């Protein structure tokens, strides 16, 4: 195997007691599986290699007590780096680290730390300080752990606040949903009541109309069954009555004219006029006819009595 992967190395040959020196091996990645097979190697030196990052399973090497990663090109550490809870000595000199993972606060046994020659965040750089001697490196471990614990606590508080805010928001949404459902139920109830009232009014109107029709039908039946004697005789049309009166007036006028003519011909000097002579003659003929008619009636009446 290639030397760059580290898998071609004979790790057992490099193991000296509990120390495993893999420095200056031109490694591009860490042989985690082979290291996990050597739990006695509690001191691991990976300095002066070409490591850009550590695999996430590197944090399973929880047997490590001392770790040297100096003079690599590490840009960040795994997020769960804090799983290495037995780690006491950590050398990260001359890498490209800017920040540390929050889980770094879990390295409760860390006693020595070197972060020099890294482009650290200004706040973290100030906390870490210099590691020019043993005492400063020990202080750096204590201060960085305190700083990371503060960050972790703040993140936990933020997480709790966020969780609380989410719970409050969820409660608010549930309350709004309940209010909306109650409003919808009330609306449906009101609409149902209005529909019921509308149908009741329609029923009452239909019933009233039916009763009115039955009442009208009954009244018409009663009027139809009344005797004809109780009904008034039909009145003659007005135009017929007016025509009869007009004829009567004409007849009366003619009779009046005849009487006037007869009187003039009988009582005035006009009786010798040809017209009056004719009138008088006609009058006498009529009178004689009427007398003969009266005589005939008397004879007929006398014969009938016999």
């Amino acid at each position: 195997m290639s030397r760059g992967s580290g898998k071609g190395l004979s790790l057992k040959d490099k193991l000296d007691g509990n120390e495993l020196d893999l420095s200056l091996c031109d490694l591009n990645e860490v042989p985690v599986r082979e290291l996990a097979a050597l739990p006695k190697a509690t001191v691991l030196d990976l300095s002066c290699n070409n490591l850009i990052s550590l695999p996430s399973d590197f944090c399973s090497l929880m047997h490590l007590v001392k770790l040297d990663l100096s003079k690599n090109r590490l840009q960040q550490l795994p997020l769960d780096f804090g799983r290495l809870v037995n780690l006491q000595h950590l050398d990260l000199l001359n890498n490209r680290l800017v920040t540390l993972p929050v889980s770094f606060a879990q390295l409760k046994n860390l006693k020595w730390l070197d972060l020099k020659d890294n482009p650290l965040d200004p706040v973290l750089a100030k906390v870490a300080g210099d590691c020019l001697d043993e005492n400063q490196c020990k202080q750096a471990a204590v201060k960085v752990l305190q700083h990371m614990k503060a960050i972790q606590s703040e993140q936990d508080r933020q997480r709790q606040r966020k969780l609380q805010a989410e719970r409050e928001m969820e409660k608010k949404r549930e309350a709004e949903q309940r209010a909306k459902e109650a409003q919808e139920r009330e609306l449906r109830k009101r609409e149902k009541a209005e529909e019921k009232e509308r149908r009741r009014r329609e029923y009452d109107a239909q019933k009233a109309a039916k009763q009115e029709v039955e009442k009208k039908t009954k009244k018409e039946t009663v009027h139809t069954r009344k005797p004809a004697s109780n009904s008034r005789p039909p009145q003659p049309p007005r135009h017929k009555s007016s025509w009869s009166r007009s004829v009567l007036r004409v007849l009366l006028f003619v009779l009046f004219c005849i009487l006037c003519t007869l009187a003039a011909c009988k009582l005035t000097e006009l009786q010798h006029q040809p017209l009056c002579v004719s009138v008088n003659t006609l009058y006498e003929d009529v009178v004689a006819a009427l007398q003969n008619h009266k005589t005939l009636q008397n004879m007929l009446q006398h014969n009938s009595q016999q």
Side-chain angles (χ1 to χ4, degrees), residues 123-134:
V123 175
L124 180 59
K126 184 177 181 180
V127 171
D130 294 327
C131 183
L132 302 177
D133 54 34
E134 189 73 13

Side-chain angles (χ1 to χ4, degrees), residues 153-192:
S153 298
E154 179 61 25
Q155 287 187 356
D156 290 342
R157 285 192 295 269
Q158 290 179 358
R159 193 179 298 109
Q160 288 296 327
R161 286 194 295 267
K162 183 178 179 180
L163 182 61
Q164 184 66 24
E166 290 177 353
R167 290 176 179 173
E168 294 294 332
M169 184 62 66
E170 183 64 23
K171 289 181 180 179
K172 184 178 180 181
R173 283 196 296 266
E174 291 177 355
E176 290 177 351
Q177 183 65 23
R178 287 194 297 269
K180 183 178 179 180
E181 291 175 354
Q183 185 177 4
E184 290 177 352
R185 286 195 301 270
E186 184 64 24
L187 179 60
R188 288 194 298 269
K189 184 178 179 181
R190 185 164 60 251
E191 290 177 349
K192 186 176 180 181

Side-chain angles (χ1 to χ4, degrees), residues 236-252:
R238 289 187 177 183
H239 66 278
K240 293 183 178 181
S241 177
S242 177
W243 181 81
S244 300
R245 286 195 296 269
S246 299
V247 172
L248 182 59
R249 288 174 184 174
V250 171
L251 292 175
L252 290 174

Side-chain angles (χ1 to χ4, degrees), residues 228-294:
S229 60
N230 294 335
S231 61
R232 293 183 180 180
Q235 296 293 332
R238 289 187 177 183
H239 66 278
K240 293 183 178 181
S241 177
S242 177
W243 181 81
S244 300
R245 286 195 296 269
S246 299
V247 172
L248 182 59
R249 288 174 184 174
V250 171
L251 292 175
L252 290 174
F253 178 73
V254 171
L255 182 58
F256 177 73
C257 291
I258 293 172
L259 290 176
C260 290
T261 303
L262 185 59
C265 291
K266 283 287 187 180
L267 301 177
T268 63
E269 297 178 352
L270 297 175
Q271 59 183 338
H272 301 292
Q273 296 295 327
L275 178 60
C276 286
V277 172
S278 299
V279 170
N280 290 333
T281 301
L282 180 61
Y283 172 70
E284 289 175 357
D285 291 339
V286 171
V287 171
L290 290 174
Q291 287 178 352
N292 291 332
H293 180 66
K294 187 175 183 182

Side-chain angles (χ1 to χ4, degrees), residues 10-134:
S10 178
L11 299 186
K12 290 183 179 181
D13 295 338
K14 291 183 172 291
L15 183 62
D16 184 8
N18 66 338
E19 296 183 7
L20 181 60
D21 187 1
L22 296 179
S23 62
L24 299 171
C25 290
D26 198 23
L27 296 177
N28 294 319
E29 58 184 49
V30 180
V32 177
R33 182 176 300 180
E34 289 78 0
L35 291 174
L38 298 174
K40 294 181 179 180
T42 58
V43 178
L44 177 61
D45 187 354
L46 290 168
S47 63
C48 302
N49 282 292
N50 298 317
L51 301 176
I52 297 176
S53 63
L54 299 177
S56 58
D57 57 351
F58 180 85
C59 302
S60 64
L61 304 177
M62 299 175 61
H63 58 277
L64 295 178
V65 175
K66 183 176 181 180
L67 178 61
D68 189 351
L69 291 167
S70 62
K71 297 181 181 180
N72 278 282
R73 294 183 293 167
L74 294 174
Q75 298 178 1
Q76 60 182 7
L77 299 179
L79 294 178
D80 55 349
F81 192 80
R83 291 176 58 192
L84 302 176
V85 292
N86 293 313
L87 199 60
Q88 299 179 16
H89 184 109
L90 178 59
D91 192 345
L92 293 169
L93 171 71
N94 194 11
N95 277 280
R96 300 177 182 179
L97 298 173
V98 177
T99 59
L100 298 176
V102 178
S103 65
F104 200 90
Q106 300 173 12
L107 302 177
K108 57 184 180 179
N109 292 315
L110 191 64
K111 302 293 189 300
W112 194 97
L113 177 63
D114 189 356
L115 287 171
K116 291 193 309 296
D117 299 330
N118 279 281
L120 297 174
D121 177 81
V123 175
L124 180 59
K126 184 177 181 180
V127 171
D130 294 327
C131 183
L132 302 177
D133 54 34
E134 189 73 13

